[in-house]
Amino acid sequence: MKKIEINDKWMQKTSVVWFGAMLCCLLWGSAFPCIKIGYGLWNIESADTSAQILFAGMRFVLAGILAVIFGSLLEGKFIKPEKGCAGKIVWLAMLQTVIQYLFFYIGLAHTSGVKASIIEAVNVFVAIIVSGFIFHQENVTAKKMLGCLVGFAGVVLINMNGMNFHMNSE
C-alpha cells in the first residue's frame, strides 16, 4: 500500500480549516437526529435498553472499521496500537466511549434531540477532568474547575422544569 502524502501547508489554509471544522460540526450535529431516526427505523422503544446498546455498538463497530481503513490508507500500511498502550486505550475507551455513550444512547431515547445535545455538552467538562486527573495531560487549575462547575450547573439549569430535577422532553 502506498502512503498518501498530505501537504501541511494545504491543511493550514483558512478555507481547508473552515471546511474541515464545518464538516465535523455537521457530522457531530447530525448524530442526534440520526440516532432518533435509527431508533424509529429499527423500532427501538425508549424502554428497550438492550436494543439501544446493540444499536450503539453496531454504530461504533462500523465507525471503528472505517477509521482503521482510512487510517491505514493514509499511512500506507495497516495501523495498529503501539506496544504498551493497551492500558491507556482501555481506560480511554471505557471512560470516553463505553460509559459516556451508554448513558447517551439510553438518555436520548427518553428526551428530545435538542435537550440531548445540551446535555451532551457535559462531555467537554468530563474530558478536562479525565485529561487532568487520570491521564495527567492537562493542568487542572482552580479556574478550569470553576469553569467546569459553572458549565455543568448551566446544563442542569437549562434542563430543570420549575424547581424539580426531573429531566424529560416535555
Side-chain angles (χ1 to χ4, degrees):
M1 227 185 322
K2 185 179 175 189
K3 183 176 180 177
I4 298 173
E5 296 291 329
I6 297 176
N7 185 335
D8 287 340
K9 297 249 187 236
W10 182 79
M11 291 295 290
Q12 294 175 358
K13 288 184 176 181
T14 302
S15 60
V16 173
V17 172
W18 183 86
F19 177 76
M22 293 304 290
L23 179 64
C24 289
C25 288
L26 174 74
L27 291 173
W28 180 242
S30 69
F32 298 95
C34 287
I35 291 168
K36 295 292 266 188
I37 291 168
Y39 284 169
L41 290 174
W42 288 73
N43 296 319
I44 298 173
E45 300 295 326
S46 61
D48 194 355
T49 304
S50 60
Q52 295 160 12
I53 295 169
L54 178 63
F55 182 70
M58 292 183 332
R59 191 170 166 256
F60 279 98
V61 166
L62 179 61
I65 291 168
L66 291 173
V68 169
I69 290 170
F70 287 124
S72 297
L73 288 173
L74 288 172
E75 289 295 316
K77 63 179 177 164
F78 181 73
I79 59 170
K80 59 184 178 188
E82 295 176 11
K83 288 186 178 182
C85 290
K88 286 185 177 183
I89 291 170
V90 168
W91 261 110
L92 185 63
M94 290 304 294
L95 292 172
Q96 282 295 102
T97 305
V98 175
I99 294 171
Q100 178 180 343
Y101 283 100
L102 176 74
F103 291 121
F104 173 66
Y105 275 77
I106 294 169
L108 191 57
H110 297 281
T111 191
S112 70
V114 172
K115 279 198 175 186
S117 66
I118 293 169
I119 294 168
E120 181 64 15
V122 170
N123 78 12
V124 174
F125 313 130
V126 172
I128 291 170
I129 292 167
V130 167
S131 174
F133 293 118
I134 294 178
F135 292 110
H136 307 289
Q137 295 176 332
E138 178 79 27
N139 184 17
V140 181
T141 64
K143 285 183 179 181
K144 288 179 185 177
M145 285 302 297
L146 180 62
C148 287
L149 290 172
V150 169
F152 185 76
V155 171
V156 170
L157 184 64
I158 287 171
N159 285 285
M160 284 177 48
N161 295 328
M163 290 307 290
N164 65 25
F165 287 94
H166 183 68
M167 297 183 189
N168 65 14
S169 61
E170 299 166 19

